Amino acid sequence: MEASLSLPLFLIFLFSFLYFIQIFILQEHIQSAITKMGLDMAKLSYIYEDFTGGEDTKNFNKTIFEEGFGVDLSEFGFVKANGAMLKLYAQNYLNVEQINKSCIENGYHGMSFDHSILFDEEDTIHIIVHYRIKIPIRLFGIKNFDMVQQVLLRAWTGHAVMPAYSMEEETNGEDTIVYITKTGSVYHRSRDCSHIKLSIRSVAGIPSELRNDNGAKYYPCEKCCNGEESALGTYYITSDGTRYHTRRDCPKIKRTVLEVKLSEVSDRTPCKRCGN
């Protein structure tokens, strides 16, 4: 009698264990895929910015490199210009047949890359994939649950560093390079000034328990939050801000920094933090 009762329980436990093993294997497959996607984009961005359009990429000879990139440049340009194509591009690395037979709800169609951000003003490649895991047997109250996987990289576009000295004769300082924003009223001597270079980081879930550097709470951004945010979504905050954002490129946290000569700043005053 005891054996007849314990055997079904043992089998349920065994199947549940194997099911969660399948989830872990699937996670590794997806993480590997989006990492390779991000690396492709990081490498190709360095070359692609030199082309004037997608047609130029078709005649580009990739054999000048020792290793192939694994993706056509024209295809990359389409993805770069249209983030909605990221999911289709993922088929280069995802085993769609395996995913359709997996524990992901609705298989490949149940995966979403909509929250990904490609090539913002900081040349960031942030690939985010959402999907839902289905539980076939409701054991111990475990229900279907959402999963989020992501990879964050920088595009390999290089960085132009201002020279520390010049061979030209210096004037009275009016040709010194300073930094301004389009809507600001001051100029900055350092591009790394915290007033123009925001420290943006991503967090999983609404950051209701987090505090900024001044101890203040974070509230939803009135620009990119609509009141229907998922508790398991990815959000972006700054160290000195008081809002959380659903988009890394939200205008409320985006800074367009321009390099200009000091003589061109008009009536702007120096930044109190870096202008002295």
Side-chain angles (χ1 to χ4, degrees):
M1 181 67 177
E2 293 180 358
S4 61
L5 292 175
S6 60
L7 182 59
L9 292 176
F10 173 76
L11 292 176
I12 291 176
F13 174 81
L14 179 61
F15 290 145
S16 299
F17 176 77
L18 294 176
Y19 196 78
F20 280 98
I21 290 295
Q22 180 191 15
I23 294 176
F24 296 143
I25 294 174
L26 186 65
Q27 283 182 305
E28 288 296 322
H29 173 59
I30 294 175
Q31 193 65 39
S32 175
I34 62 177
T35 299
K36 291 177 180 177
M37 290 165 58
L39 289 173
D40 269 354
M41 292 183 178
K43 289 186 291 185
L44 286 170
S45 60
Y46 182 78
I47 303 169
Y48 192 85
E49 66 176 358
D50 289 333
F51 293 107
T52 58
E55 291 297 323
D56 291 346
T57 66
K58 294 181 179 180
N59 299 323
F60 177 69
N61 183 10
K62 291 189 294 184
T63 60
I64 63 175
F65 299 98
E66 294 181 1
E67 297 181 2
F69 289 110
V71 59
D72 186 77
L73 276 169
S74 58
E75 179 184 359
F76 167 76
F78 190 43
V79 173
K80 182 176 178 180
N82 186 353
M85 296 301 296
L86 190 62
K87 180 176 179 180
L88 182 61
Y89 172 59
Q91 292 185 16
N92 290 309
Y93 294 111
L94 289 175
N95 187 330
V96 177
E97 183 178 356
Q98 175 187 347
I99 289 177
N100 285 336
K101 297 178 180 178
S102 71
C103 51
I104 294 181
E105 192 171 87
N106 297 323
Y108 174 74
H109 295 293
M111 301 178 68
S112 171
F113 290 80
D114 292 344
H115 291 87
S116 300
I117 299 173
L118 303 179
F119 306 100
D120 59 9
E121 63 176 4
E122 297 181 354
D123 287 334
T124 299
I125 301 168
H126 195 181
I127 301 176
I128 305 171
V129 55
H130 290 76
Y131 55 92
R132 189 170 180 82
I133 296 294
K134 56 186 178 183
I135 304 298
I137 302 177
R138 298 297 174 86
L139 189 64
F140 306 120
I142 300 177
K143 301 179 180 179
N144 295 354
F145 56 90
D146 295 319
M147 293 290 294
V148 180
Q149 290 184 242
Q150 55 187 312
V151 62
L152 180 62
L153 297 168
R154 291 286 297 255
W156 297 359
T157 55
H159 177 65
V161 180
M162 294 298 296
Y165 60 88
S166 173
M167 297 300 293
E168 298 179 1
E169 182 180 356
E170 293 189 4
T171 62
N172 58 2
E174 291 186 351
D175 287 338
T176 301
I177 296 297
V178 295
Y179 307 94
I180 62 172
T181 59
K182 290 183 177 180
T183 58
S185 59
V186 301
Y187 66 85
H188 307 265
R189 292 188 179 274
S190 172
R191 191 182 185 93
D192 293 327
C193 178
S194 59
H195 284 170
I196 56 175
K197 187 176 182 180
L198 298 178
S199 176
I200 305 174
R201 64 188 178 100
S202 61
V203 295
I206 296 176
S208 55
E209 303 299 324
L210 298 180
R211 300 292 184 269
N212 67 11
D213 289 350
N214 299 318
K217 294 178 63 176
Y218 290 98
Y219 299 93
C221 170
E222 64 275 11
K223 186 72 174 180
C224 62
C225 295
N226 57 15
E228 300 179 357
E229 290 72 39
S230 168
L232 299 176
T234 300
Y235 300 93
Y236 303 91
I237 59 176
T238 60
S239 57
D240 56 355
T242 58
R243 304 290 178 180
Y244 62 83
H245 309 263
T246 58
R247 295 166 42 201
R248 188 183 179 90
D249 60 346
C250 174
K252 292 293 184 179
I253 54 175
K254 183 178 181 180
R255 295 286 187 271
T256 301
V257 181
L258 305 175
E259 291 185 5
V260 299
K261 294 180 180 180
L262 181 58
S263 58
E264 299 174 354
V265 299
S266 185
D267 58 348
R268 294 188 184 224
T269 58
C271 169
K272 293 182 179 179
R273 181 165 297 180
C274 69
N276 296 327

